[in-house]
Structures are given as C-alpha cells and as structure tokens.
C-alpha cells in the first residue's frame, strides 16, 4: 500500500491508501465573502490494468462557515 497525505477542508485531513496501478485527482476550492466562507473538495480515484477488478471512487465534500 501507498499512503498519501491529502489537503482537505479546514479542520480536517484525509490519508487515502492506494493499491496497484491507478489514477488519483483532487481539487480544493475556496470562496470567501464578507460573512461566509465556502469550501468544496472533489476527489476521483480509478484503478486500471489490475488482475482483480477494483471499483473507482468519487468523493465530494462541501463546507460553509459563518462569521458572526
């Protein structure tokens, strides 16, 4: 297994593990307005050319912070 420290939404992190051959892509978006901060993370993992079929995975996380 190969482990990767991946940036995540504020206050959290993720450490996905990888097996064999595959592709991993992630994106983190941050929008800040006067009283609201919006964060979104999308991640996609797909395996290919493996003896054993392994399903891919898509992940979407959204967080909204209000400032009082």
């Amino acid at each position: 297994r190969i482990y990767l420290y991946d940036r995540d939404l504020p206050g959290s992190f993720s450490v996905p593990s990888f097996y064999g051959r595959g592709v991993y892509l992630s994106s983190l978006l941050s929008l800040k307005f006067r009283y609201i901060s919006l964060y979104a993370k999308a991640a996609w993992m797909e395996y290919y050319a493996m003896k054993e079929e392994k399903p891919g995975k898509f992940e979407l996380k959204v967080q909204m912070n209000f400032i009082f």
Side-chain angles (χ1 to χ4, degrees):
R1 290 185 198 178
I2 297 174
Y3 296 95
L4 169 75
Y5 175 82
D6 192 17
R7 291 187 65 179
D8 211 341
L9 302 177
S12 64
F13 65 94
S14 62
V15 183
S17 60
F18 301 98
Y19 306 89
R21 298 180 179 193
V23 176
Y24 180 72
L25 179 68
S26 70
S27 179
L28 184 62
L29 175 69
S30 170
L31 297 172
K32 296 182 181 182
F33 301 103
R34 183 177 280 190
Y35 299 108
I36 299 173
S37 298
L38 298 170
Y39 301 96
K41 179 189 174 192
W44 171 67
M45 184 185 316
E46 187 69 38
Y47 292 97
Y48 65 91
M50 294 181 64
K51 294 178 185 175
E52 183 180 309
E53 289 286 325
K54 189 163 175 85
K57 180 174 126 177
F58 180 76
E59 178 179 89
L60 180 64
K61 294 180 181 181
V62 179
Q63 179 179 337
M64 182 185 300
N65 294 341
F66 292 102
I67 299 170
F68 294 100

